[in-house]
Amino acid sequence: MSYSGGCSTCLETIFSVVLPPLGVFFRYGFCSSEFVVSSALTALFYVPGIVYSVWVVILKTPPEPPGIDGERPYYILA
């Protein structure tokens, strides 16, 4: 998955609080284990679904690839 920026993460976080599976869907898609777990937790208990979804969207976000000039990753420079 690609990391698209701060605004996207902010919207995904808001959706994760309002409707937890929706925020996870925007990040990982429909056929992912994160979406299934988020849906199950939300169906059983709403608050654990929120906690899990926010954790997946914010804390499991892949970091930006390192670059020499701060803009382009190494594999593009080669």
Side-chain angles (χ1 to χ4, degrees):
M1 297 296 138
S2 64
Y3 179 69
S4 57
C7 184
S8 174
T9 303
C10 182
L11 289 174
E12 290 168 349
T13 304
I14 291 170
F15 284 126
S16 292
V17 172
V18 175
L19 185 62
L22 188 60
V24 176
F25 169 75
F26 287 146
R27 172 67 58 153
Y28 294 99
F30 183 71
C31 294
S32 67
S33 60
E34 289 87 359
F35 179 77
V36 172
V37 170
S38 177
S39 298
L41 285 173
T42 302
L44 296 173
F45 310 103
Y46 186 69
V47 174
I50 292 173
V51 171
Y52 177 77
S53 296
V54 169
W55 175 74
V56 166
V57 168
I58 294 176
L59 296 179
K60 283 187 68 177
T61 301
E64 287 289 321
I68 293 173
D69 57 1
E71 295 180 16
R72 297 178 294 175
Y74 291 121
Y75 64 86
I76 292 177
L77 296 175

